[in-house]
Amino acid sequence: MTRNTARGIFITGTDTGVGKTVAMLVLGIHLQKAGFNVGIMKPVQCAGKDASFLKKSLHLACDLTHINPYLAPEPLSPHLAFSRIKNEINASKIITAYQHLQQHHDIILVEGAGGLLVPLRKDYLVADLVRDMDLDLIIVARLGLGTINHSLLTIQAARAHGLHVRGIIFNATRPIMPGISQATPLGLPERTNPIIIRQLGHVAILGTIPYLKNFRRQEILTQCHLNLRLIIDRVPDASASQVPRQLAAWDKKYLWHPFTQMKDWLADEPLVISRARGSYLIDTQGRRYLDGVSSLWVNVHGHGHQTVNRFIGEQLNQLEHSTLLGLSNTPAIQLARKLVTIAPIGLNKVFYSDNGSTAVEAAIKIAYQYWQNTGCSNKRLIAHLANSYHGDTLGSVSVGGIDLFHQVYRDLVFPTMAVDFPDCYRAPRGKKYPDYAFECLERFATTLKKRHNRIAAFVVEPIVQGAAGMLMWPKGILKRMRELCHRYKIIFIADEVATGFGRTGKMFACEHEGVSPDILCLAKGLTAGYLPLAATLTTQEIFNGFVFDYKDQKTFFHGHTYTGNPLACAAALANLEVFEREKTLRTLVPKIKFLRERLNLFYNLPHVGDVRQCGFMVGIELVRDRQTKEPYAWQERVGTRVCQEIRKHGVILRPLGNVIVLMPPLSIAMDELTHLLDATYRAIEKKT
Ligand SMILES: *Cc1c(COP(=O)(O)O)cnc(C)c1O
């Protein structure tokens, strides 16, 4: 859904005194002449009267408190100027004022304070403000000698902060030749510097402002030449153009989408995402959507996170890829060390691959071969929970039990042992939780006692069975199952592809019951949702089961070409850095509590059968009849209909059958979380 908001552009300078305010005025007058209702903002001002000068010159009626929320009396760097009056600049106050102005204008020109790297607070720069306001940048540079270096540095700094530079405006702050009128032709540097900056900086030149003796409207209109098309171009909220329609057509012509009935897809209009920031995805038409399932359960700290961007960027300049077959690389080593430090105790070795399915695939092959290598070749059977999901490659499909996805491949997969999962909501007739849970456990114990000589490994999704519909494990079962596996020498594989990296409120779901698996599979959130990477961690003991003379033929002959890709490993290192720096797990606690309280209200809806939550993993199961738990028929696609409805509220969700899944980025703000819950509530209310 479109947020009906004005477009904004942030105007920064290569330095102080390059004429940002003059550029603001010139831009304002030209845009007014072109028919725009122009608003201005000077969020932070240290001495001077720029804001009131602009307001007066552009005949604006808006209140100065919105135009200039922060004013300090001394001409100093903002962090200093405001600390001297015992005030501190707060971005959210600026954003609130900006949003107020948005309601009254078509376009808002926001003037910075000094350059991009000027601190507003001790650890908060002008560049951070531009990012948080989500604005594109126009850079004002001095026209003439000495501008190349300053301009290119500013462009570089902008891009390093993830900002989009829309272009550069050159301003002649002095007469080109003192004493001679401005009609004089430009000198050599004035003519050539902009061109070299355009080439080296890959930026558009938006215009040149000659030296202006006074600021008369007529003089500004006739003497300053601006490329207005480029200036207002690429504004996120630009109305529908040809480009999105063309992309949609090419999508239908060339793409085959995963887990998608393409007949339905081709009959519909595809939603094409072209940008993302924080908790929001932005489509090709500038519409913003809350990313309610973290782009399929992967995003952790929000989109376009500065630290993750920086780590990947720096790695890109060092080494993009080199193989782990016969060589090693720096970030792969650093990440392995880090993962071993944070993983449940006893997991000491890291085997990389590319995605969740391959992480499980490798785990199964390692477990199987371990027993072959160590002389227990009867242990060949892999056990798994009956309704599990471990991925889509054939090995992981073999240990999966979701018929809708897996039935068709039954002839291709290897035989396994399915173990009943104690589903607390849909226990068989006459059985009740927790008795039923312990009954399942008893049965599991009996089976192991009888057949452990043949069982190589038991693979589970600990605490939450994700794709099965966000099914929660009854308390204590994981720990008991793990103990039984230990007793009967069965390799216990925890597939934390979905639950890892804070999803359940702890770094790993196993921690909820103090469990250390023999093998741990990680993917999805590992790179904060940036790049495909997976890790299969094992104990030293399992690793030792592969360390023999080459001639013994006990090597683990498995590996993917992009194993340990340095860019992906750098993203994962950034992910863990942000967990520490932003204290992600701690800030999650009140959000999880809020979520729990608000989710209780969903029982007011008659077709909500069960609401399941563990941390930031939520499943809301819709049923035809709450009393009998009769499900909606799958043909009705009630989950899909609710998720289509919720798009009208600017939220993206993807259901699991009749279960509405909420799985927002861990970084989601409280008001965004409120919006997500409200929209979900209303969509379910409407469609059930
Ligand atoms: C998503 C998922 C997988 C598969 O991961 P891919 O990266 O899609 O191959 C495996 N196990 C669990 C628990 C998952 O949620």
Side-chain angles (χ1 to χ4, degrees):
M1 115 186 277
T2 310
R3 273 201 175 177
N4 195 15
T5 50
R7 317 153 179 199
I9 309 172
F10 198 96
I11 318 294
T12 193
T14 55
D15 200 351
T16 34
V18 294
K20 280 194 305 291
T21 309
V22 172
M24 287 278 287
L25 178 67
V26 171
L27 272 167
I29 286 176
H30 276 258
L31 287 167
Q32 283 180 336
K33 170 84 173 159
F36 289 95
N37 171 356
V38 179
I40 55 149
M41 190 172 186
K42 169 94 189 175
V44 176
Q45 180 158 336
C46 303
K49 291 194 163 61
D50 296 351
S52 46
F53 163 75
L54 284 170
K55 175 168 138 60
K56 207 169 109 216
S57 310
L58 292 167
H59 313 297
L60 299 179
C62 233
D63 197 280
L64 212 51
T65 53
H66 296 299
I67 294 178
N68 178 212
Y70 285 100
L71 178 67
E74 295 176 282
L76 297 166
S77 170
H79 76 291
L80 187 58
F82 284 89
S83 81
R84 280 165 63 89
I85 55 169
K86 311 230 170 333
N87 195 352
E88 194 176 71
I89 293 169
N90 183 343
S92 60
K93 181 173 167 185
I94 293 174
I95 291 169
T96 308
Y98 173 71
Q99 284 165 346
H100 172 87
L101 291 172
Q102 280 185 304
Q103 293 162 17
H104 297 92
H105 301 282
D106 307 328
I107 193 162
I108 298 165
L109 305 172
V110 183
E111 182 181 346
L116 278 184
L117 302 188
V118 165
L120 296 175
R121 281 197 310 266
K122 197 170 99 259
D123 54 354
Y124 191 81
L125 311 181
V126 170
D128 297 317
L129 177 65
V130 186
R131 264 184 69 89
D132 289 344
M133 295 180 80
D134 196 17
L135 297 178
D136 279 4
L137 205 61
I138 289 180
I139 295 170
V140 180
R142 189 179 282 115
L143 184 67
L145 211 55
T147 194
I148 297 177
N149 190 51
H150 275 79
S151 301
L152 294 179
L153 283 173
T154 301
I155 292 165
Q156 261 185 18
R159 290 184 180 149
H161 280 82
L163 306 177
H164 177 75
V165 180
R166 205 173 288 172
I168 189 158
I169 291 177
F170 292 96
N171 188 14
T173 47
R174 284 166 295 157
I176 300 298
M177 291 190 190
I180 300 177
S181 95
Q182 17 140 323
T184 323
L186 298 176
L188 198 55
E190 288 79 13
R191 275 184 285 132
T192 57
N193 282 350
I195 296 165
I196 197 87
I197 289 167
R198 183 183 66 201
Q199 287 168 349
L200 292 177
H202 305 283
V203 285
I205 298 175
L206 303 176
T208 302
I209 303 173
Y211 177 65
L212 299 165
K213 276 210 294 289
N214 53 55
F215 299 116
R216 274 201 294 270
R217 192 165 268 264
Q218 202 46 40
E219 186 185 7
I220 285 174
L221 284 173
T222 54
Q223 305 210 351
C224 305
H225 299 286
L226 296 183
N227 187 337
L228 277 195
R229 197 187 57 74
L230 287 182
I231 288 168
I232 58 175
D233 201 22
R234 231 196 77 94
V235 185
D237 288 347
S239 60
S241 70
Q242 279 311 96
V243 179
R245 236 173 295 151
Q246 178 68 80
L247 278 172
W250 284 340
D251 173 286
K252 290 186 185 184
K253 186 156 182 216
Y254 297 113
L255 274 182
W256 186 347
H257 288 264
F259 274 99
T260 302
Q261 178 41 261
M262 290 304 289
K263 183 173 179 188
D264 294 342
W265 181 269
L266 294 173
D268 244 353
E269 263 318 286
L271 180 58
V272 184
I273 302 301
S274 63
R275 248 160 51 85
R277 268 295 152 79
S279 307
Y280 286 90
L281 299 166
I282 302 162
D283 76 1
T284 46
Q285 300 181 42
R287 292 177 296 203
R288 292 162 60 90
Y289 300 87
L290 195 57
D291 188 358
V293 288
S294 298
S295 295
L296 238 329
W297 313 4
V298 296
N299 194 281
V300 181
H301 306 295
H303 293 273
H305 192 285
Q306 210 171 318
T307 307
V308 190
N309 288 9
R310 182 165 58 78
F311 270 56
I312 296 173
E314 283 169 6
Q315 183 56 43
L316 190 57
N317 289 326
Q318 296 294 324
L319 169 68
E320 76 299 329
H321 183 68
S322 153
T323 183
L324 283 198
L325 277 66
L327 293 173
S328 198
N329 75 61
T330 312
I333 298 169
Q334 287 169 331
L335 177 62
R337 178 166 180 264
K338 194 91 201 182
L339 287 174
V340 166
T341 332
I342 63 165
I345 199 150
L347 295 162
N348 292 325
K349 295 286 173 180
V350 177
F351 186 90
Y352 290 116
S353 63
D354 316 334
N355 58 72
S357 309
T358 57
V360 173
E361 198 89 23
I364 293 172
K365 284 176 74 176
I366 288 172
Y368 183 88
Q369 191 179 343
Y370 172 81
W371 295 118
Q372 307 289 311
N373 279 3
T374 55
C376 301
S377 48
N378 279 338
K379 281 169 98 67
R380 288 161 183 266
L381 200 56
I382 311 289
H384 62 90
L385 292 175
N387 46 2
S388 54
Y389 176 80
H390 295 290
D392 297 331
T393 58
L394 285 174
S396 45
V397 167
S398 301
V399 292
I402 298 178
D403 286 347
L404 177 66
F405 303 162
H406 299 155
Q407 192 59 39
V408 68
Y409 308 111
R410 276 301 157 217
D411 286 347
L412 296 182
V413 301
F414 55 78
T416 58
M417 190 178 116
V419 173
D420 279 342
F421 173 73
D423 183 342
C424 323
Y425 180 57
R426 293 192 180 282
R429 271 178 85 86
K431 315 254 176 183
K432 278 248 256 318
Y433 171 80
D435 295 351
Y436 174 55
F438 285 97
E439 193 187 313
C440 286
L441 197 61
E442 275 314 304
R443 245 190 332 237
F444 182 62
T446 314
T447 312
L448 292 200
K449 197 168 173 190
K450 256 195 304 210
R451 302 185 61 190
H452 64 94
N453 281 337
R454 308 218 160 260
I455 302 172
F458 178 45
V459 51
V460 300
E461 299 162 77
I463 303 296
V464 186
Q465 296 237 81
M470 297 291 156
L471 305 182
M472 304 297 157
W473 288 55
K475 233 193 178 85
I477 301 290
L478 178 71
K479 196 173 174 62
R480 294 293 314 282
M481 285 186 160
R482 201 279 169 264
E483 283 164 0
L484 286 167
C485 286
H486 185 72
R487 183 179 329 151
Y488 290 110
K489 292 197 181 330
I490 291 166
I491 293 176
F492 190 81
I493 304 173
D495 173 358
E496 292 230 25
V497 168
T499 51
F501 300 98
R503 263 300 143 199
T504 64
K506 305 223 180 245
M507 189 53 103
F508 300 108
C510 282
E511 294 172 25
H512 287 281
E513 302 204 351
V515 160
S516 277
D518 300 304
I519 302 185
L520 176 69
C521 306
L522 303 173
K524 289 197 170 97
L526 172 57
T527 60
Y530 269 63
L531 286 161
L533 179 71
T536 303
L537 278 70
T538 79
T539 58
Q540 186 70 39
E541 192 182 346
I542 290 179
F543 174 81
N544 289 346
F546 290 79
V547 184
F548 294 92
D549 288 335
Y550 186 77
K551 65 174 169 39
D552 295 334
Q553 300 193 343
K554 290 181 173 177
T555 307
F556 186 45
F557 284 111
H558 178 109
H560 300 279
T561 317
Y562 277 101
T563 290
N565 174 261
L567 291 173
C569 289
L573 282 165
N575 179 27
L576 298 177
E577 169 98 9
V578 177
F579 263 104
E580 279 174 30
R581 214 188 276 178
E582 296 183 0
K583 306 196 174 19
T584 306
L585 292 175
R586 202 194 301 163
T587 57
L588 208 52
V589 175
K591 291 190 237 182
I592 291 172
K593 181 161 171 279
F594 175 73
L595 196 54
R596 187 175 313 125
E597 288 161 6
R598 291 292 306 269
L599 282 169
N600 263 326
L601 303 178
F602 280 68
Y603 284 114
N604 294 337
L605 296 166
H607 290 283
V608 167
D610 195 24
V611 181
R612 301 185 277 269
Q613 181 208 8
C614 180
F616 257 32
M617 295 180 89
V618 175
I620 302 167
E621 180 161 344
L622 307 176
V623 288
R624 172 166 297 295
D625 184 329
R626 180 188 280 171
Q627 226 53 50
T628 63
K629 303 185 182 178
E630 182 198 345
Y632 281 99
W634 62 269
Q635 295 91 333
E636 291 184 63
R637 292 205 266 185
V638 65
T640 308
R641 284 192 286 123
V642 168
C643 293
Q644 276 163 354
E645 172 68 20
I646 207 171
R647 281 205 192 166
K648 298 183 196 154
H649 301 276
V651 176
I652 303 279
L653 291 183
R654 187 171 169 93
L656 291 162
N658 297 339
V659 178
I660 305 302
V661 174
L662 304 183
M663 212 145 143
L666 306 189
S667 57
I668 192 171
M670 219 50 133
D671 58 336
E672 293 167 345
L673 199 52
T674 306
H675 176 54
L676 175 63
L677 287 159
D678 287 349
T680 307
Y681 191 94
R682 271 181 281 153
I684 294 176
E685 191 171 37
K686 178 138 186 215
K687 291 292 166 183
T688 57

